[in-house]
Amino acid sequence: LPIPTPADTLCALARMAVKPDFWLTVGMSLLRICAGFALAFAAGALGAAASAQWSLFRRLAAPLIQLVRSIPVAVFTIVVFLWVSRPYIPSTIVFLTVLPVIWGGVEAGLENADRQLWEMARTFGMGRWQILRRITLPGIRPHVAAAVTTALGFAWKSGIAAEVIGTPDGSIGAVFYQAKIFLQTSELLAWTVVVVAVSVAFEKLFMFLLRLILKKLKM
C-alpha cells in the first residue's frame, strides 16, 4: 500500500476543505456526537443525583450502569443496529458510552461532598437552590470536570467507530470506510487529522462553557 507523506496528507486535506460536502460531513458528525453527549450528560447528572438521594434507586441502577460500562462499543453498535435507524446509531452509541462516565463522576462528587456544610446551610435557612449553587456545585466540580474530560474522548472514539460500522449518509465514519475500500490512504489520514482537530476544539469549547456556567451559577 502507498504510504502518504505529511505533504500528501496536507494536500488531500486542502482538496477536501474547499468542497461544501466536507463541511457538511463534519457538521453532521459533530451534530450526532454532540446530541448523544448532551443527552448522556443530562441523564447521567440526573441519575447520579437520584442515586445519591435514594438508596433503592442506586441498588437498582448500579447493575445496569455496570452492564453498559462493560459492553464493547462494537458489540453495542451491532446490537443497536437491530433496533435503531442508521442515522441515529452514532448518537445512541455515544449516549450509552458517555452515560456511565458522567454518572460515575457526578455520583463520586456527591458521595465525597461535605454533608456537614449542607446541614449547616439548612440550619442557617439557606434554600435548596442556594445550597446547590454555593455548596454542591463547587464541591462536585473537580469530579465533574474529570468525568467530562474522559467522556469527551470516549464520545468521539465511540461516535466515529459507530459511524464506520453503521455508515450513515453524510458522516465521517462513512467517508473513512469508503477511503479504506478504495485504498485512499492520503484522504484517510487527512480525515484522521480532521477528527483529532475537531475533537480537541470541541473539548476546549465544552470545558470553557462548563466553567462559565458553573461560574455564573455561583454568582
Side-chain angles (χ1 to χ4, degrees), residues 8-199:
D8 295 333
T9 303
L10 291 177
C11 289
L13 181 59
R15 290 195 303 269
M16 295 187 307
V18 298
K19 298 178 180 179
D21 290 345
F22 169 82
W23 299 104
L24 181 61
T25 299
V26 173
M28 290 300 297
S29 292
L30 180 62
L31 180 62
R32 293 186 181 102
I33 293 173
C34 287
F37 185 89
L39 291 174
F41 185 87
L46 293 176
S51 179
Q53 184 71 25
W54 299 295
S55 58
L56 178 59
F57 180 83
R58 180 171 62 252
R59 289 195 295 268
L60 293 175
L64 296 177
I65 295 299
Q66 183 60 39
L67 177 64
V68 173
R69 183 183 288 114
S70 61
I71 297 179
V73 174
V75 176
F76 253 141
T77 305
I78 295 174
V79 173
V80 169
F81 189 80
L82 300 175
W83 292 292
V84 179
S85 179
R86 182 173 295 182
Y88 301 105
I89 290 177
S91 299
T92 305
I93 297 301
V94 171
F95 174 84
L96 294 173
T97 305
V98 171
L99 178 64
V101 180
I102 299 297
W103 189 305
V106 176
E107 190 173 40
L110 293 173
E111 289 177 352
N112 294 325
D114 190 349
R115 298 185 180 276
Q116 292 181 351
L117 288 177
W118 290 348
E119 295 298 332
M120 183 178 65
R122 293 191 186 98
T123 302
F124 283 95
M126 291 182 63
R128 292 185 177 182
W129 177 243
Q130 291 294 327
I131 294 175
L132 176 66
R133 290 176 56 190
R134 302 190 180 277
I135 298 177
T136 304
L137 289 179
I140 68 174
R141 179 177 177 177
H143 297 274
V144 174
V148 167
T149 302
T150 303
L152 287 170
F154 284 163
W156 279 94
K157 292 177 182 179
S158 61
I160 298 300
E163 287 185 346
V164 172
I165 297 175
T167 60
D169 295 334
S171 66
I172 294 178
V175 176
F176 263 116
Y177 186 78
Q178 293 174 3
K180 180 184 75 71
I181 293 296
F182 296 105
L183 302 179
Q184 298 171 333
T185 52
S186 297
E187 287 75 6
L188 188 64
L189 289 181
W191 277 108
T192 303
V193 172
V194 171
V195 170
V196 173
V198 176
S199 174

